[in-house]
């Protein structure tokens, strides 16, 4: 039941906070605080994308609390895993200390986070 609640809360958070109409969402808990999300969105032309979330320890126990979110964007040629790969323990500590959710979307290799659904051939 706890895993279902966590998945539901993450789904709700994602849909409301990013205003993305997710058609297909898959979540995977990588550690106590880190979640991997794969989703397809009509806003992105149905293309599948990935992101990581870091939530505070008490996130699942306090479903009615509103948490601020901070989006961490990777650099050119990076990906959504770069922040966790290099700074996971510091980010988890920050999420807990400041009671916030950290969101690390994938901006693709050279898109500069402009994931337009319009193909270049149009």
């Amino acid at each position: 039941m706890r895993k279902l609640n966590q998945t539901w809360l993450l789904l709700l958070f994602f849909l409301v906070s990013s205003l993305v109409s997710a058609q297909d969402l898959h979540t995977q808990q990588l550690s106590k605080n880190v979640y991997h999300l794969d989703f397809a969105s009509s806003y992105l032309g149905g293309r599948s994308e990935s992101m990581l979330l870091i939530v505070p320890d008490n996130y699942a126990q306090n479903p009615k609390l509103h948490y601020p979110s901070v989006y961490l964007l990777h650099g050119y040629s990076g990906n959504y895993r770069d922040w966790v790969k290099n700074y996971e323990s510091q980010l988890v500590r920050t999420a807990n200390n400041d009671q916030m959710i950290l969101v690390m979307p994938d901006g693709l290799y050279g898109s500069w986070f402009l994931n337009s659904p319009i193909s270049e051939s149009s």
Side-chain angles (χ1 to χ4, degrees), residues 23-82:
Q23 299 164 336
D24 189 19
L25 177 69
H26 301 282
T27 62
Q28 178 185 11
Q29 188 170 4
L30 302 178
S31 67
K32 179 180 179 184
N33 302 79
V34 181
Y35 291 84
H36 179 261
L37 282 72
D38 283 317
F39 62 94
S41 170
S42 60
Y43 289 110
L44 299 173
R47 188 173 62 234
S48 292
E49 296 292 340
S50 296
M51 69 170 45
L52 292 176
L53 294 177
I54 296 180
V55 299
D57 287 339
N58 63 344
Y59 181 74
Q61 291 80 29
N62 298 302
K64 296 195 188 260
L65 283 181
H66 294 275
Y67 295 90
S69 58
V70 173
Y71 287 76
L72 303 175
L73 307 180
H74 60 77
Y76 180 78
S77 80
N79 66 48
Y80 66 102
R81 294 175 294 219
D82 288 352

Side-chain angles (χ1 to χ4, degrees), residues 70-121:
V70 173
Y71 287 76
L72 303 175
L73 307 180
H74 60 77
Y76 180 78
S77 80
N79 66 48
Y80 66 102
R81 294 175 294 219
D82 288 352
W83 287 99
V84 170
K85 179 174 52 179
N86 297 314
Y87 306 105
E88 181 174 354
S89 61
Q90 295 97 322
L91 293 172
V92 168
R93 195 167 38 253
T94 297
N96 282 320
N97 290 343
D98 297 328
Q99 291 296 288
M100 67 172 64
I101 296 171
L102 302 173
V103 182
M104 291 142 285
D106 194 6
L108 304 177
Y109 181 79
S111 76
W112 302 101
F113 294 91
L114 301 173
N115 299 346
S116 173
I118 301 170
S119 70
E120 292 180 21
S121 62

